Amino acid sequence: MLKDKEEDEVQLGTAYLFFTGLVPFLGLSINNAARITHSSVGRTPVTKGSTSVIELLGFLPLAGNAKENTIRQLEHRISRLEGVLHLGKMITTSGGKIFATNGKKADFHATLKTCQEAGGSIATPTNPSENDAILYFVKSYNTYAYLGIKESLIPSKFQFLDGTKLRYTNWHSKEPSGKGEEECVEMYTDGTWNDKRCNQNRLIVCQF
């Protein structure tokens, strides 16, 4: 019973992060998101301050305890919102990841901060499908985007931001070539990667 309660709270916590992090990142308001996903579902006591997730999303209460039904319907509303954002070319998905852009550009460090503040991280492809999901934005905006990859202490050896080894790469021909002078990685409009200095402005693409 306790385990089920914890799982419910995790699911609702994830939903909370989705709306209060990703939605503002995309330039929407909580109220706008709620209008898109509005439905009469029960209240659930997962809160930030004194306001529940359900209240933040503009949901109306049902009589009685309907937690499981609430979660099921909440997941459905989130799915509907994802569909709207897909149509607006604001998000793409691959596997369990959601990739999103606000259409703005920034240097690597500002991009990292923006993604973290939204509850995510810089888009980091770990397979061809995820690479294609990020490429969708790069092509749509006809510009390059930073990836969540940086050079290690060994010149021309790159790794994930947490220091783990890359399992998938898609380097452009003869790249990386910076040899310690280009610590960041950008994606070209053909989906291949290039090492680059971190002070250039590139499209912000985050993953959640």
Side-chain angles (χ1 to χ4, degrees), residues 81-91 101 136-137 141:
L81 177 58
E82 288 179 349
V84 172
L85 297 177
H86 269 294
L87 291 175
K89 297 183 178 181
M90 303 175 81
I91 70 171
T101 183
Y136 171 80
F137 296 125
Y141 287 86

Side-chain angles (χ1 to χ4, degrees), residues 28 31-38 77 80-82 84-85:
L28 302 175
N31 288 335
N32 285 340
R35 279 195 288 272
I36 294 172
T37 61
H38 185 77
R77 305 311 164 197
R80 288 180 59 193
L81 177 58
E82 288 179 349
V84 172
L85 297 177

Side-chain angles (χ1 to χ4, degrees), residues 95-164:
K97 287 184 180 180
I98 295 174
F99 297 95
T101 183
N102 56 12
K104 298 179 181 179
K105 293 183 179 182
D107 63 28
F108 180 84
H109 298 291
T111 297
L112 179 62
K113 181 180 179 181
T114 297
C115 291
Q116 289 177 337
E117 288 177 345
S121 56
I122 297 181
T124 308
T126 59
N127 56 54
S129 178
E130 293 179 0
N131 202 74
D132 287 344
I134 301 167
L135 178 59
Y136 171 80
F137 296 125
V138 171
K139 283 186 173 181
S140 295
Y141 287 86
N142 192 31
T143 189
Y144 303 161
Y146 281 121
L147 302 177
I149 299 170
K150 287 199 75 176
E151 192 170 34
S152 69
L153 295 177
I154 303 173
S156 298
K157 296 293 182 181
F158 287 78
Q159 59 190 17
F160 292 119
L161 299 185
D162 64 4
T164 57

Side-chain angles (χ1 to χ4, degrees), residues 18-106:
F18 181 89
F19 279 97
T20 61
L22 178 58
V23 169
F25 166 74
L26 294 172
L28 302 175
S29 68
I30 294 296
N31 288 335
N32 285 340
R35 279 195 288 272
I36 294 172
T37 61
H38 185 77
S39 176
S40 296
V41 299
R43 294 178 188 271
T44 304
V46 177
T47 63
K48 180 180 182 181
S50 59
T51 306
S52 72
V53 176
I54 306 304
E55 290 171 326
L56 278 171
L57 301 183
F59 292 150
L60 300 177
L62 280 178
N65 182 5
K67 179 178 287 185
E68 290 184 5
N69 188 51
T70 296
I71 292 172
R72 192 161 48 247
Q73 292 192 46
L74 180 57
E75 289 174 339
H76 176 63
R77 305 311 164 197
I78 290 175
S79 177
R80 288 180 59 193
L81 177 58
E82 288 179 349
V84 172
L85 297 177
H86 269 294
L87 291 175
K89 297 183 178 181
M90 303 175 81
I91 70 171
T92 60
T93 57
S94 177
K97 287 184 180 180
I98 295 174
F99 297 95
T101 183
N102 56 12
K104 298 179 181 179
K105 293 183 179 182

